[in-house]
Amino acid sequence: QVQLVESGGGLVQAGGSLRLSCAASGRTFSSYVMGWFRQAPGKEREFVAVIGGSGSVIHYADSVKGRFTISRDNAKNTVFLQTNNLKPEDTGVYYCAASTVFSWSNLADFGSWGQGTQVTVSS
């Protein structure tokens, strides 16, 4: 398994931006598919974006397409989520997760999870 630590969350006004980071431990980071998920209060955790090991294959949830960008730096064992034009409905705890398969619909495919970083968007 890989250890994951998220950072970069905070309080931002609607229309603002945040860059979330997820640092991973281990020597085989590039072999993992990395995903971002979020969970709003009282709601289930939901998929946001996923990126393949080389960074060439990416998939987004429809709700964030065109506003969020996922990327990774395998030399630094880090995956990023650039969030632009944030909306109040983007508020939640954002988690990064690692998987050995390219997936987004089944959270159980992701065996390693970070502790999460809070994103709050005010209107």
Side-chain angles (χ1 to χ4, degrees):
Q1 288 197 349
V2 61
Q3 305 299 316
L4 304 171
V5 179
E6 302 95 334
S7 61
L11 172 64
V12 64
Q13 290 186 332
S17 300
L18 287 172
R19 191 190 195 205
L20 308 184
S21 299
C22 173
S25 64
R27 304 177 185 177
T28 59
F29 176 70
S30 61
S31 68
Y32 287 98
V33 173
M34 298 300 297
W36 283 97
F37 297 81
R38 66 187 181 188
Q39 188 166 18
K43 295 187 177 181
E44 294 187 351
R45 194 169 299 187
E46 64 175 7
F47 164 75
V48 174
V50 64
I51 186 168
S54 67
S56 60
V57 183
I58 289 172
H59 182 70
Y60 296 100
D62 288 344
S63 59
V64 306
K65 202 171 293 183
R67 300 187 298 121
F68 291 11
T69 302
I70 189 172
S71 62
R72 65 190 298 160
D73 184 339
N74 286 339
K76 297 182 178 180
N77 282 14
T78 304
V79 61
F80 304 98
L81 186 68
Q82 178 67 42
T83 66
N84 297 329
N85 191 20
L86 284 161
K87 305 175 181 180
E89 53 263 42
D90 293 318
T91 294
V93 178
Y94 282 68
Y95 300 89
C96 71
S99 174
T100 57
V101 297
F102 194 83
S103 171
W104 61 87
S105 60
N106 187 0
L107 271 63
D109 288 334
F110 290 81
S112 299
W113 292 81
Q115 83 290 347
T117 186
Q118 176 71 45
V119 171
T120 303
V121 184
S122 63
S123 57

